[in-house]
Amino acid sequence: MTKTTIRLAAASVLALSAAGASADVNLRLSSWVPAQHALQTTGFEPWLASIEEASGGSITSTIFPAQQLGSALDHYDMARDGIADITYVNPGYQPGRFPIIALGEQPFHVADAAEGSAAFDRWYREYAAQEMPDIHFCMAFLHDPGTLHTVEQVLLPSDLEGMTIRPGNATMGRMLNLLGAASVQVPAPEAREVIARGAAEGLTFPWDSVWLFGIDSETKYHLDMDLYATTFVLAMNQSTYDSMTSEEQAVMNDHCTSEWAGRLASGWAEQEASGREKALADESHTVHQPTEDELAAWREATAPLLEEWKAEVSEAGHDAEAIYDRFTDAMSAADALVQQ
């Protein structure tokens, strides 16, 4: 390369910088689920492909699955610190840090993940900036309702007393403690090992993830009820977003929407629901559908968790009742709220 060419290239870079433009962007998306997980194959990959197409190829991406860039517990801070450009965050892995979004974890509230995720995202956008100021919020969504999967049969809340269970989020951890069980908080990819070595006797999980993570060889008993959901966020590094051109930012804005939250969750929800059919078809597994009395016992036993959530959110200076009413209104309008 001649000195003249070098000077021209440098001048072009300076001109682009002066105009507020950036070089092409390659987004590093960090996830802690395996590459074959439905969230990646039916969610992340189509989403990122749409971003690349809409940007005319100026925004490309690389997915780093299975905790390659860091632990599932650290993904919010990884987006904040720029370890990745976009991260897949489970806010419930850090109890008490994000109290408002934790409402989505409450037992017997979420009935549908696809339509529910779009409604959930619309609701949470009002609070995201104040609760997650360290990152550029992209979207929030939910997984298909999960339940209890155990090595020994559990029928009633009292059966959990003395057991050790891996919870799916902070609210499930509180539920277990409320019911006399101990909780072992580990990321989803590490759940099978914990159960296999006897450090836990079950877990709360969506249905097909039991098979995807190989836990079906350990947990043979399942409660057939929509016990809970887990909240998730796609968090973007603020500096990455700020460094984009206005055109690129517009593409990201068009892909960080409630509609996309529903689309991201829908394929995964369909896959998770199929796990129930696998359990029903496998003679080595027992799926128990609670009776009306048993279901009433579960609802009564877990009711204090909502009051705890309201107290925690109120102590943080928010109007818990108003937040709860907006949540139930949004989920009900989407026909995604469990009948209360």
Side-chain angles (χ1 to χ4, degrees), residues 110-264:
V110 176
D112 177 272
E115 295 300 322
S117 287
F120 182 74
D121 179 86
R122 283 190 292 271
W123 164 78
Y124 187 63
R125 282 183 181 273
E126 182 177 347
Y127 312 105
Q130 57 183 301
E131 187 157 76
M132 300 184 176
D134 310 302
I135 53 94
H136 181 82
F137 174 80
C138 180
M139 70 179 87
F141 54 100
L142 303 158
H143 71 40
D144 196 57
T147 188
L148 269 165
H149 312 274
T150 52
V151 298
E152 300 291 341
Q153 191 164 46
V154 170
L155 302 179
L156 291 166
S158 57
D159 294 335
L160 286 172
E161 187 169 357
M163 294 182 71
T164 301
I165 304 291
R166 179 265 178 193
N169 53 49
T171 303
M172 286 295 97
R174 289 180 178 180
M175 181 196 78
L176 294 168
N177 298 152
L178 175 67
L179 301 180
S183 60
V184 178
Q185 183 73 286
V186 295
E190 301 168 30
R192 182 188 179 280
E193 180 185 354
V194 169
I195 297 172
R197 59 185 170 85
E201 299 160 90
L203 78 172
T204 62
F205 232 32
W207 283 95
D208 196 56
S209 286
V210 172
W211 270 260
L212 179 64
F213 288 95
I215 304 168
D216 59 297
S217 61
E218 309 296 333
T219 57
K220 301 290 187 178
Y221 295 92
H222 316 272
L223 272 178
D224 192 6
M225 62 182 185
D226 292 342
L227 175 61
Y228 80 105
T230 295
T231 69
F232 302 101
V233 164
L234 282 187
M236 188 171 184
N237 176 261
Q238 187 64 55
S239 295
T240 297
Y241 179 82
D242 291 342
S243 69
M244 290 179 161
T245 65
S246 58
E247 291 80 8
E248 290 166 344
Q249 288 179 350
V251 170
M252 292 308 301
N253 294 344
D254 288 343
H255 286 80
C256 290
T257 63
S258 299
E259 179 188 0
W260 267 107
R263 293 172 67 177
L264 208 69

